[in-house]
Structures are given as structure tokens and as C-alpha cells.
DNA sequence: GTTGGTGCAAAATCTTTGCATCTGG
DNA sequence: CCAGATGCAAAGATTTTGCACCAAC
């Protein structure tokens, strides 16, 4: 899943932040990389680890996710279902990307690309509010579910 | 806080939904109306009730908020601080309004007006996703905090 | 060898639920 | 009167924490 170069730079990154590079931290990252399309909760990650016959305390998973968030390797998000979820950051993008959440089937589609630049400038002019980041979620019905209806 | 006509129509509204109109439900609505600018959690509401020397079980507050949400009198939201919060719905607006959340002082400013219509049409064309509602939060620094810096 | 990390269990939070009692209609 | 509402305490669910032991560096 990760080549040697990536692991090396990852190790360095942990060290730059004053953290140790441990098997457990790598394993959590592995699970996240293996499911880039899903938005996993702590519990989901524990389940995937179990499936892979890996025994890890769930407090380690929680603590690892907090660290990965501080290191800006993952981003915390939620789908308005009450669960805190995590997704790998895409370092191409300056801000959080957006999500299309289907109310019928529950599918989540990521929208890449920042669609809010104009809006943010407009808000700065109107409200004097300097925006650093945003969260935008759309709820509705995805193409598949719309097709099934008709 | 509410005049007689408003209370009458409120009572009817409860009945239309098959709910009873009780003192407790009115009191929760009172607290919400008295703090239209704040975004109160269940716990906040219990605190305000205590301040007003009103004794109400917190499960009643939780259950009341669920009912008010079903009746579309309040909307659930959060400020990414882990607390579920509620705000009164504005029936002028079709969709949820947006929020400017200051990372320095924690102030929250509501943005009225739907700024996303064009974007939603664009998303329907690109993704075939039919949008019913959205959540948009901006994080940054508010005018007051920016002024203090300089 | 230090310092930080892990695992387990206990604790802390927030929210929901069961049940006896009460109350609006 | 009766269905639904309330209050309390217990139970659930998720997340955090304390501490003994372990591992990275």
C-alpha cells in the first residue's frame, strides 16, 4: 500500500511533530488508505483492524486519530449521523472538500475543487469576516437513486 | 415573549402533529426565543431553565427538542465543537442558513439568504445529484477580532 | 535508559429508555 | 378517563483518562 519512500517520509513527519513512528499508527493509516472512498469512524477502523486479525486497543485508535489530525494527515468530519468520522487529507487542496450525501442510499461523493472562492470574497466584503476554512455538505438524492425511481 | 395569537397557533400546530401542548414545551421554546443569536445545546437550555428557577427533567428537554425538530420549529446544528445544538427555524428561508464561526472569540454569525443556488444547479448538471438541503459553515476570524489584532 | 506509546479498565459525557405517575384534551 | 407527557434513575453509546507495562530512539 505504501512504498518505502512514503514510509520514510512518514516516519520523518512523525518525528518532526515530536511523535514516535509505531506499527499501530501505520496500521491505522493503512486502513484509511485502503478505503479512500469511505468515511470511517473510530469504530469502523477498529472493525477493519479486527478483520485483518490485528489486535489493537481502541483507545490507541482514538489517540492515533487525534495525532493524525494534529499532523493534518487526516481530517475530522461527520455525515450528520452522529458519528465522528475521518478521511485522509488531500494535500492538493487548500480547504476541506465538499460532500454529496444521499439521503436514500447513504452514499457519499467527494467534490474536489474549491467552489466557494467567490462567495468567500463576497462574505469578507459584506461581513468583514476572514475565512480560513469551511464545511459544505449537500443532502439529496444521488444519480443512482434518481434512476431507480423513474 | 409570545403574544396570545402566537400561542394559539402554536397550540394548534402541536395538535396537528398529534402532540399535546404542555408548559414544558412552551418553556423550551421560550428559552430558544429569548436567545435567538445563541445556538443552544440541550445542556445550555437546562441551564437557562435553572436560572429562571424552572425545574424540568433533562430527558423532557431532549424529548421536546426531538419533537420540535420533527415539527420543523427548530433545526439541529453544530459548531464542530462536539455539541448538538438547536436554533429556531426561520420560515422565510427554504434551506438552512449559513454560519460564520470565529475561531478566536467563538462568536457565531448567521448569514441569511441562500447563496448556493447556482452552485446546486451546477452540481446537478455535473453529478446528477438532486440537492434538497445543505449545511455550510465558515471558520475564520470575525471583524471584531481582526480589528483587535491591528 | 528515557520518553513517549499501548492496552486495559474505569471514568466521564452525552443521549436514550423503562416505568410509575401525572395531566391535557 | 385515557393517551400521551413527565421525571427520575438506569442503561447505552461514544470518547477520554489513569496507570502499569512496553517499545522507539
Amino acid at each position: 500500500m505504501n512504498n518505502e519512500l512514503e514510509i520514510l517520509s512518514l516516519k520523518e513527519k512523525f518525528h518532526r511533530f515530536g511523535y514516535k513512528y509505531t506499527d499501530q499508527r501505520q496500521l491505522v493509516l493503512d486502513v484509511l488508505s485502503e478505503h479512500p472512498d469511505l468515511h470511517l469512524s473510530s469504530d469502523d477502523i477498529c472493525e477493519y483492524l479486527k478483520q485483518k486479525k490485528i489486535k489493537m486497543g481502541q483507545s490507541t485508535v482514538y489517540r492515533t486519530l487525534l495525532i493524525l489530525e494534529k499532523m493534518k494527515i487526516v481530517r475530522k468530519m461527520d455525515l450528520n449521523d452522529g458519528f465522528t468520522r475521518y478521511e485522509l487529507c488531500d494535500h492538493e487542496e487548500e480547504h476541506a472538500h465538499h460532500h454529496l450525501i444521499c439521503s436514500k442510499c447513504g452514499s457519499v461523493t467527494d467534490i474536489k475543487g474549491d467552489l466557494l472562492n467567490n462567495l468567500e470574497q463576497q462574505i469578507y466584503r459584506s461581513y468583514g469576516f476572514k475565512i480560513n476554512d469551511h464545511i459544505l455538505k449537500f443532502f439529496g438524492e444521488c444519480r443512482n437513486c434518481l434512476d431507480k425511481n423513474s
Side-chain angles (χ1 to χ4, degrees), chain A:
Chain A
M1 193 51 59
N2 286 291
N3 66 40
E4 219 152 298
L5 194 66
E6 278 171 339
I7 290 179
L8 268 177
S9 68
L10 199 56
K11 194 169 175 177
E12 275 169 29
K13 191 160 186 179
F14 275 102
H15 291 172
R16 273 206 303 283
F17 276 86
Y19 297 124
K20 288 176 183 171
Y21 172 72
T22 67
D23 288 352
Q24 286 88 341
R25 289 171 183 179
Q26 180 60 61
L27 286 164
V28 168
L29 277 173
D30 285 348
V31 170
L32 287 167
S33 322
E34 286 158 16
H35 306 280
D37 47 326
L38 302 180
H39 300 76
L40 304 178
S41 65
S42 291
D43 200 52
D44 293 335
I45 293 171
C46 288
E47 283 307 312
Y48 279 112
L49 289 169
K50 264 186 209 159
Q51 277 181 29
K52 296 171 83 175
K53 313 288 181 200
I54 294 161
K55 203 164 169 294
M56 194 183 313
Q58 60 173 353
S59 52
T60 302
V61 174
Y62 277 106
R63 284 188 276 227
T64 299
L65 289 168
L66 290 178
I67 283 174
L68 293 176
E69 200 192 357
K70 277 189 199 158
M71 292 170 67
K72 297 198 186 304
I73 292 177
V74 304
R75 203 190 306 266
K76 194 190 273 196
M77 55 93 61
D78 72 276
L79 302 175
N80 276 54
D81 60 357
F83 293 93
T84 300
R85 296 170 178 282
Y86 292 89
E87 62 187 359
L88 285 171
C89 289
D90 180 343
H91 288 289
E92 305 295 305
E93 58 194 25
E94 192 186 351
H95 294 306
H97 60 256
H98 318 312
H99 295 98
L100 300 178
I101 303 165
C102 180
S103 310
K104 286 274 166 70
C105 69
S107 70
V108 180
T109 308
D110 293 348
I111 305 185
K112 304 291 179 179
D114 196 334
L115 308 171
L116 299 178
N117 273 328
N118 286 338
L119 199 48
E120 294 187 353
Q121 286 167 28
Q122 192 182 319
I123 285 169
Y124 182 60
R125 284 194 299 271
S126 308
Y127 294 85
F129 189 98
K130 196 78 177 52
I131 293 165
N132 295 324
D133 206 357
H134 51 236
I135 290 178
L136 175 53
K137 291 178 264 199
F138 293 103
F139 301 92
E141 210 169 328
C142 69
R143 195 182 333 234
N144 281 347
C145 289
L146 286 170
D147 286 351
K148 275 181 209 159
N149 289 353
S150 56

